[in-house]
Amino acid sequence: MKRTKKTKSMLRRLLLGSCGVLMLLLTFFLINYIGKLSDTKAYANAGSVDTALEAWQEMTVTEEPKKPTPTPLPVPKAEFSKEYEHSGEAKEVLAYDSGIAYGLRYPVYEDAICSSAVKKAAEELLAAELKELSGTSDKDCKLVIDYEDGAAGELVSVLFRIEKSVGSAARTEKRQWIFNKKKGETVNAETLFSDRAYAYIAEQASATAEDAAPLTGDRETFSSFLLTAEGAEFYYEADGKEQSVTVPYAALHTYMSVTVNGNVPADSIRELDPEKPMIALTFDDGPHYINTPRLLKILEDNGARATFFILGDRSFFTEANKETLRQLAASGNEVASHTYSHKNLAQLSIEDMVAEITKAADNIYALTGEYPTFVRPPYGSYNDEVKQYANAPLITWNVDSEDWKSRDAATIVEHVLEEARDGRIVLLHDIHTFSVDAAERLIPELIERGYQIVTLRELFYYKGVELENGEVYHGVY
Ligand code: ZN
């Protein structure tokens, strides 16, 4: 086969060109290899052979070229304020959807029923707010639902703080949520306080405010509140900003549909006929492990309720007495304080006098989960210091059964019936068998005569008496 000159010269050029390229490539690899080798040596000198190998491997792994990440479009974000206090864990959701940046935060509780109930309430609140905002044509909406929470006895209280903005307009709202852990159900916040409570709250708020502009004592003004261990904290608007006042339960009890600090049934104020006469029987110096339960049965059988001024030391005296007090507290009858050890308060130093009152309150709280609302000073004896430091309304009586004197049931019954009037407070002692014998006859007889036999809380509530700490009440009329 003969090749032409032209073909030969083309082949030669091709060969020469290929050789040149090959040489170039070889040189490149050689330089590269020497470079890496010297690096490896440097590593090997610095550390172990393993390190050197690792370094070698590292260097031989070729990094994949990074894909350019697309620059994200700015998504509006909702943010939670840091000023709200949470009692424990919180769950939060932050999202952006159809022009609304929103955030939802709600509490998580150990009580599973309570926890799922508050989650449901929070989600419903969010859904309602989102629905409302989606109706606006403005596409720059923000919604943040945060909360504050507190607890008082069996009640869990959550105050949702709703902040929303549409364009440049911003608005805040608050929403209540209350749950009774013992009953496992939500409490209607609207009916927690009676109408009369608001005048009292307004008075308290006006007294604490620097600017003495009087506040209207209505439900609307004080619709936002948080139940804490110390009291009900009301949030209201004054001078164009949010203010708050904490009202202790001792003062609010008579205006509340639910007792907040304990196991007294929610119906601690019964539905009674305000037009019919009422009388409050009060029993002192107990509890007594035989006589008190017997009396509770008599009261229950007659649909009557009474108030028991118990002694702190006697309550803890025996297991039987402790149990009696618990039974008493759970019965719907009222547990009140007759101090710790029945000393004449007016004759004690301030320190000892205060100790007598606080020790009894602590004992009652330890056994019943509720602090007593009322204090009855032993022997009905008090002075200005007692009034000042009692931190509770002081209750005496205007009918003395003189049971301790006659020690005879028939005489006691006769004496009380003679003195009985609408609104009166009767003094008896449930530590004596003859007093309970008397109560057994007296209670049906009073009912027969048209009286409703009520607790002090009920009496003051229906008679519209606004109680004040340190004031002394003998009876209503
Ligand atoms: Zn007494």
Side-chain angles (χ1 to χ4, degrees):
M1 217 166 97
K2 280 187 181 175
R3 287 168 181 164
T4 57
K5 265 188 180 175
K6 208 176 173 186
T7 328
K8 274 181 188 168
S9 77
M10 269 180 72
L11 265 166
R12 201 179 300 132
R13 264 187 244 152
L14 205 71
L15 264 166
L16 274 170
S18 306
C19 277
V21 171
L22 262 166
M23 283 298 284
L24 265 169
L25 275 168
L26 258 167
T27 322
F28 175 76
F29 279 118
L30 214 71
I31 291 166
N32 207 14
Y33 177 75
I34 292 164
K36 276 174 182 172
L37 210 64
S38 59
D39 278 355
T40 317
K41 272 182 187 154
Y43 272 105
N45 289 341
S48 67
V49 178
D50 284 347
T51 341
L53 273 172
E54 265 169 40
W56 170 256
Q57 277 158 3
E58 247 170 55
M59 277 178 288
T60 49
V61 171
T62 47
E63 270 183 35
E64 267 189 38
K66 274 184 187 163
K67 280 177 197 163
T69 43
T71 339
L73 289 169
V75 174
K77 270 174 104 178
E79 264 177 56
F80 293 111
S81 153
K82 287 185 179 68
E83 66 180 292
Y84 304 128
E85 278 186 27
H86 303 148
S87 68
E89 266 183 74
K91 174 115 174 115
E92 56 181 58
V93 182
L94 277 169
Y96 178 77
D97 188 27
S98 330
I100 307 169
Y102 66 87
L104 171 68
R105 192 143 71 172
Y106 57 88
V108 177
Y109 295 118
E110 272 178 32
D111 185 314
I113 301 168
C114 179
S115 216
S116 81
V118 75
K119 179 175 188 273
K120 188 166 170 268
E123 283 168 352
E124 281 173 3
L125 188 58
L126 174 70
E129 292 294 338
L130 284 177
K131 198 179 166 197
E132 196 201 314
L133 281 178
S134 67
T136 58
S137 52
D138 203 308
K139 282 294 156 200
D140 184 19
C141 296
K142 263 187 196 175
L143 169 69
V144 176
I145 303 177
D146 206 336
Y147 72 97
E148 284 176 86
D149 65 341
E154 68 229 44
L155 298 184
V156 173
S157 163
V158 175
L159 182 65
F160 286 108
R161 300 273 196 167
I162 308 158
E163 286 163 20
K164 44 191 163 183
S165 61
V166 179
S168 60
R171 207 145 57 95
T172 62
E173 280 170 30
K174 295 184 270 288
R175 204 67 57 83
Q176 306 292 326
W177 185 82
I178 300 170
F179 191 82
N180 186 323
K181 279 197 286 183
K182 206 177 161 198
K183 292 191 161 187
E185 60 187 34
T186 47
V187 174
N188 186 351
E190 304 279 311
T191 57
L192 189 63
F193 302 102
S194 72
D195 285 335
R196 282 212 308 270
Y198 295 96
Y200 182 76
I201 298 159
E203 210 175 275
Q204 300 297 305
S206 300
T208 51
E210 284 164 28
D211 190 349
L215 290 150
T216 331
D218 59 20
R219 203 173 280 275
E220 210 180 306
T221 310
F222 298 101
S223 62
S224 303
F225 59 87
L226 198 60
L227 304 177
T228 69
E230 292 75 37
E233 194 175 355
F234 292 89
Y235 296 91
Y236 58 96
E237 297 288 326
D239 302 331
K241 59 177 191 237
E242 190 184 83
Q243 319 259 4
S244 76
V245 63
T246 301
V247 186
Y249 300 117
L252 269 181
H253 262 140
T254 44
Y255 308 119
M256 293 184 76
S257 61
V258 178
T259 21
V260 286
N261 266 333
N263 52 8
V264 177
D267 61 339
S268 69
I269 291 182
R270 294 169 296 169
E271 282 287 332
L272 298 166
D273 185 349
E275 304 303 318
K276 271 177 73 184
M278 294 179 189
I279 196 160
L281 301 183
T282 62
F283 295 90
D284 288 13
D285 299 357
H288 186 284
Y289 73 107
I290 294 170
N291 291 327
T292 310
R294 187 184 150 213
L295 179 57
L296 290 177
K297 179 80 171 58
I298 295 166
L299 287 161
E300 196 192 342
D301 289 348
N302 287 282
R305 281 187 185 173
T307 303
F308 292 78
F309 285 97
I310 66 105
L311 291 169
D313 62 352
R314 187 186 280 278
S315 303
F316 268 86
F317 192 55
T318 60
E319 277 305 315
N321 279 6
K322 280 189 205 174
E323 190 43 46
T324 302
L325 185 59
R326 288 193 200 101
Q327 190 191 340
L328 172 55
S331 69
N333 289 282
E334 179 123 28
V335 179
S337 166
H338 197 31
T339 74
Y340 183 70
S341 60
H342 213 276
K343 294 195 174 96
N344 188 333
L345 297 183
Q347 291 172 2
L348 298 178
S349 68
I350 290 176
E351 202 183 7
D352 290 347
M353 177 264 290
V354 170
E356 277 288 306
I357 293 167
T358 52
K359 265 166 83 183
D362 289 345
N363 280 8
I364 292 170
Y365 181 77
L367 288 171
T368 70
E370 185 178 23
Y371 283 105
T373 308
F374 308 113
V375 170
R376 172 171 282 166
Y379 318 103
S381 164
Y382 57 87
N383 56 17
D384 284 347
E385 273 80 37
V386 174
K387 287 167 74 173
Q388 193 185 334
Y389 291 98
N391 200 29
L394 298 172
I395 312 291
T396 56
W397 56 87
N398 50 11
V399 178
D400 185 351
S401 71
E402 295 187 335
D403 52 353
W404 52 276
K405 210 167 166 187
S406 70
R407 306 181 74 86
D408 174 64
T411 313
I412 298 165
V413 173
E414 196 187 337
H415 185 69
V416 174
L417 287 175
E418 245 170 53
E419 302 267 307
R421 303 282 186 282
D422 181 26
R424 286 199 168 168
I425 298 174
V426 184
L427 168 67
L428 290 140
H429 297 84
D430 57 324
I431 41 162
H432 304 307
T433 310
F434 48 80
S435 298
V436 179
D437 288 342
E440 196 169 25
R441 281 182 253 169
L442 181 64
I443 291 167
E445 185 56 36
L446 283 168
I447 293 167
E448 184 65 30
R449 293 180 185 204
Y451 286 99
Q452 301 173 92
I453 298 171
V454 301
T455 62
L456 287 173
R457 197 180 299 208
E458 289 169 331
L459 181 72
F460 294 126
Y461 177 81
Y462 282 102
K463 300 297 180 188
V465 178
E466 290 181 12
L467 298 163
E468 277 179 47
N469 290 352
E471 285 301 310
V472 184
Y473 301 87
H474 309 283
V476 177
Y477 308 118

